[in-house]
Amino acid sequence: MFITIAVIFVLLASFLLIIVNMYSDYVARREQDARLISTRARNIITECEELLLNQAQVAFSKTLVLVLHYRIIRALRKRAIDPKARDEVKDRIANEEKIIAELKTNYQEMSTFKAPENDAMAIAQLRVIRRLRSILKSEMTSGIPLNPSQLNKEDRRLYILVLKVNISNLIQKVFEMKRLRQVGSCRQLIDKGLSVIKASGVKDGWLTEKEDLLTNLLNGINAETKIKDPAKKEKADADGQSLADKSDLDEIFGDKKKW
């Protein structure tokens, strides 16, 4: 009897130990998942704040600014999983909601395209635009309180902005190569720029203006090449005639062969 009770006690103790270990593992995993969610949410907030600070580099529309602030609010709600951050998160969400209300009524969009001054600035702009387009695509499926057509329109605007940055940077390189008289490379870049604009199918005043500029530059280079080619040909003919005349003179006045 005693042995039976001892065995039952050992079995119960083992079972309880297993239950305790399972619960401890569950709590540890839950805490780890909560930390991961909180960290990801914090990273999202940081990214959105950094992008909002880049409005001097890239023109942000009201739609885009609203998307970033709504994204911050969603991330803050995920951070509320952490009990220590709940009070801070509550105040921050209230502040973000005030910002959104203000944006909806008083935000003034900057539609002027700021052309990059150099390669470094062009690369920085393209990186910002790439991150913004990635966020837009993510937010389209997140239930954000904005019309999907607005988001698609904004994505299209950013696509056109990428074209403008690339074409602007290309034109700077064209002028530099033209200054260095690298005619072949200059013509290749112009052809590339024109083909990109035509392939895009975008109807935009700025792009049309740059297309006309590149076309005029190409026509100017072709005209200069045609002017120089006859001059080179004339010089080559003159050199050839000079050699022929010299050969004739040598034949007449040179040493006579002894027969």
Side-chain angles (χ1 to χ4, degrees):
M1 184 71 180
F2 178 77
I3 295 174
T4 303
I5 293 173
V7 170
I8 292 173
F9 178 78
V10 169
L11 290 173
L12 286 173
S14 299
F15 178 74
L16 287 173
L17 184 61
I18 292 171
I19 294 297
V20 169
N21 286 335
M22 288 177 63
Y23 180 74
S24 297
D25 290 342
Y26 166 74
V27 170
R29 284 198 303 272
R30 189 176 63 180
E31 290 177 352
Q32 184 180 7
D33 291 343
R35 284 195 299 270
L36 285 173
I37 291 170
S38 180
T39 300
R40 288 171 184 168
R42 192 163 52 246
N43 290 340
I44 288 171
I45 294 167
T46 301
E47 181 188 32
C48 290
E49 290 173 340
E50 288 176 355
L51 288 169
L52 287 167
L53 291 174
N54 279 286
Q55 292 186 59
Q57 285 189 355
V58 179
F60 279 35
S61 68
K62 180 163 74 172
T63 298
L64 191 54
V65 177
L66 285 172
V67 165
L68 292 173
H69 282 288
Y70 278 125
R71 185 173 173 86
I72 288 173
I73 287 178
R74 261 197 324 119
L76 285 169
R77 285 173 178 157
K78 289 181 179 178
R79 277 206 68 200
I81 293 175
D82 183 0
K84 297 178 182 178
R86 282 175 186 169
D87 291 338
E88 176 192 347
V89 164
K90 185 179 179 181
D91 293 339
R92 183 72 190 278
I93 288 175
N95 185 55
E96 286 294 323
E97 288 174 344
K98 288 180 182 178
I99 292 173
I100 288 172
E102 181 70 18
L103 287 170
K104 286 181 177 179
T105 55
N106 297 324
Y107 185 78
Q108 297 193 358
E109 297 188 3
M110 295 176 59
S111 58
T112 305
F113 168 62
K114 185 175 181 180
E117 298 174 1
N118 48 51
D119 285 347
M121 187 173 176
I123 291 170
Q125 286 182 332
L126 291 172
R127 283 176 179 168
V128 169
I129 295 169
R130 183 170 61 247
R131 290 165 69 187
L132 289 171
R133 293 190 74 190
S134 175
I135 285 173
L136 273 178
K137 290 176 182 177
S138 172
E139 292 301 308
M140 284 179 186
T141 58
S142 68
I144 190 170
L146 289 173
N147 193 316
S149 64
Q150 289 180 269
L151 301 182
N152 288 323
K153 183 180 178 181
E154 183 60 21
D155 185 62
R156 176 70 172 172
R157 187 185 74 85
L158 291 175
Y159 166 71
I160 295 173
L161 206 54
V162 170
L163 285 175
K164 290 183 178 181
V165 172
N166 284 324
I167 293 299
S168 179
N169 197 42
L170 179 141
I171 288 172
Q172 289 183 15
K173 293 182 183 298
V174 165
F175 278 116
E176 180 64 15
M177 290 181 177
K178 193 171 184 293
R179 184 183 68 81
L180 297 173
R181 301 184 183 280
Q182 297 177 359
V183 178
S185 298
C186 188
R187 184 184 282 112
Q188 286 180 358
L189 266 184
I190 292 174
D191 287 336
K192 180 181 178 181
L194 289 172
S195 64
V196 167
I197 293 173
K198 289 176 182 176
S200 70
V202 175
K203 301 298 180 183
D204 178 87
W206 188 93
L207 287 172
T208 301
E209 179 186 334
K210 300 310 174 186
E211 183 179 13
D212 292 341
L213 173 62
L214 289 172
T215 301
N216 291 334
L217 286 170
L218 183 60
N219 291 338
I221 289 173
N222 290 336
E224 289 177 10
T225 304
K226 286 180 181 179
I227 291 172
K228 289 179 181 179
D229 285 346
K232 288 180 181 179
K233 185 176 184 301
E234 185 178 345
K235 185 177 183 301
D237 291 343
D239 292 343
Q241 184 62 41
S242 176
L243 289 172
D245 292 343
K246 185 176 183 298
S247 178
D248 290 342
L249 288 172
D250 288 343
E251 182 68 20
I252 296 171
F253 298 105
D255 291 339
K256 302 294 182 182
K257 292 182 181 180
K258 294 183 182 179
W259 301 94

